[in-house]
Amino acid sequence: MSTRPVSVTIDEQLYAYAQGEVEAGRAKSVSAVVNAALARRAEADRAADAAVLAAVEAVLEDPDASARMERMTAHLLSQREQAERQAAGD
């Protein structure tokens, strides 16, 4: 795996945490702490995206679920329009 040097600005308390991890021997460097955090975030994002796609596919494969989603969407849009009309009238 290749690496790329970058400059980032992080909150002071996060830097202190990362530095503490290094001093405690739980990380090789502040960069290693940042890399681990980004790797966890990337994995969580990929898992969330996969879950959403699986849910969408399940709904699309089930005509009853698709119809329910269409009704729910129409209802929510109607509520939003009503709220916007009320806000404009106030």
Side-chain angles (χ1 to χ4, degrees):
M1 176 184 294
S2 64
T3 61
R4 176 183 295 224
V6 296
S7 175
V8 297
T9 302
I10 60 175
D11 293 340
E12 186 66 37
Q13 71 270 19
L14 294 176
Y15 176 77
Y17 167 78
Q19 190 63 40
E21 291 295 289
V22 173
E23 290 169 3
R26 291 187 292 267
K28 288 185 192 181
S29 64
V30 170
S31 291
V33 174
V34 172
N35 275 321
L38 284 172
R40 284 190 303 274
R41 172 69 183 262
E43 180 56 33
D45 286 349
R46 282 191 291 272
D49 289 346
V52 168
L53 287 175
V56 168
E57 288 175 8
V59 167
L60 292 175
E61 291 174 2
D62 180 356
D64 291 335
S66 292
R68 283 192 306 276
M69 289 302 298
E70 286 179 23
R71 287 192 305 275
M72 290 171 60
T73 300
H75 179 71
L76 290 171
L77 290 173
S78 174
Q79 285 183 323
R80 184 176 74 182
E81 289 171 6
Q82 182 180 2
E84 288 172 351
R85 283 194 302 271
Q86 287 176 345
D90 289 339

